[in-house]
């Protein structure tokens, strides 16, 4: 989300000049500026865009006072080179931190571990993050994740590309097991 507000702020200022000024000169200048500005920003975004697509993504609804939440999705690498999801960031109004986790069995107890090296998505392949396996853990929720709301995340990959995603908060259909921290 912050990417968007950053790139659109200058345009908003230019538009403000339009409406405040009756001068054709300033109008022309503003227009010119906008024309030069827009393709540059678009180009910048295009070169940073990720070749990885998020499918079936959602955050699981929590109770109101929950401090942690989980996000699930499938990542599809459309490129012909391997990509590694190295980190995930979450908007600060939702949670203080997002971590890449996996679930492991240790002495018959399910435990979660942070995957500090990230997760590799091989060229042309898909990797699923699902309940009982890999997931994105939201730590320090400001409030519970309410069904019907949305969570904005930014996925960062080893090639430097960033993928902003907006995921719905849903109750897990037919939830048969619980997954606690
Ligand atoms: Cu976790």
């Amino acid at each position: 989300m912050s990417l968007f507000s950053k790139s659109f702020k200058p345009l908003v200022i230019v538009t403000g000049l339009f409406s405040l000024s009756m001068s054709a000169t300033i109008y022309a200048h503003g227009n010119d500026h906008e024309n030069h500005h827009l393709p540059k920003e678009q180009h910048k975004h295009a070169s940073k865009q990720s070749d990885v697509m998020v499918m079936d993504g959602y955050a699981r609804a929590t109770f109101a006072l929950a401090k942690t939440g989980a996000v699930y999705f499938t990542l599809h690498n459309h490129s012909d080179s391997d990509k590694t999801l190295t980190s995930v960031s979450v908007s600060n109004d939702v949670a203080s931190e997002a971590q890449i986790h996996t679930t492991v069995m240790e002495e018959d107890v399910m435990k979660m571990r942070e995957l500090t090296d990230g997760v590799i998505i091989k060229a042309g392949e898909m990797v699923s993050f699902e309940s009982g396996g890999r997931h994105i853990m939201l730590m320090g929720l400001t409030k519970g994740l309410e069904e019907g709301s949305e969570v904005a995340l930014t996925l960062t990959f080893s090639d430097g590309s960033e993928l902003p995603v907006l995921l719905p908060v849903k109750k897990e259909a037919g939830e048969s097991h619980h997954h606690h921290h």
Side-chain angles (χ1 to χ4, degrees):
M1 292 316 275
S2 60
L3 272 178
F4 280 108
S5 48
K6 252 178 230 156
S7 51
F8 282 104
K9 210 168 265 170
L11 292 184
V12 171
I13 294 165
V14 169
T15 314
L17 276 178
F18 284 10
S19 51
L20 284 173
S21 171
M22 301 300 278
S23 158
T25 320
I26 288 180
Y27 183 88
H29 171 76
N31 210 17
D32 186 52
H33 180 74
E34 187 175 53
N35 284 342
H36 281 105
H37 185 75
L38 202 54
K40 211 189 279 173
E41 284 297 327
Q42 276 172 350
H43 179 74
K44 206 170 108 195
H45 272 225
S47 63
K48 271 182 74 182
Q49 222 160 49
S50 178
D51 297 316
V52 179
M53 228 175 80
V54 171
M55 302 183 310
D56 305 324
Y58 70 98
R60 189 166 54 189
T62 67
F63 61 98
L65 296 174
K67 284 293 156 204
T68 58
V71 173
Y72 306 105
F73 46 55
T74 296
L75 297 181
H76 190 174
N77 181 355
H78 286 280
S79 76
D80 51 14
S81 57
D82 296 354
K83 306 277 175 188
T84 303
L85 173 68
T86 51
S87 67
V88 177
S89 63
V90 59
S91 156
N92 277 344
D93 15 307
V94 174
S96 54
E97 195 187 346
Q99 294 181 351
I100 305 167
H101 278 193
T102 192
T103 311
V104 292
M105 267 317 231
E106 268 177 24
E107 294 159 11
D108 290 338
V109 181
M110 267 179 129
K111 289 186 176 170
M112 297 196 285
R113 291 276 171 269
E114 186 177 5
L115 294 172
T116 47
D117 293 337
V119 173
I120 298 173
I121 310 109
K122 292 205 167 125
E125 293 191 3
M126 290 190 267
V127 171
S128 287
F129 288 64
E130 56 203 356
S131 187
R134 296 182 201 89
H135 55 276
I136 304 303
M137 198 93 226
L138 302 181
M139 325 281 287
L141 291 176
T142 53
K143 56 182 177 150
L145 298 174
E146 194 186 347
E147 191 180 12
S149 63
E150 287 177 315
V151 171
L153 298 176
T154 302
L155 280 51
T156 303
F157 297 90
S158 46
D159 61 1
S161 65
E162 290 185 343
L163 179 60
V165 289
L166 191 61
L167 302 177
V169 176
K170 296 200 288 194
K171 277 192 178 135
E172 212 163 38
E175 188 173 350
S176 57
H177 53 269
H178 293 271
H179 148 126
H180 296 287
H181 231 279

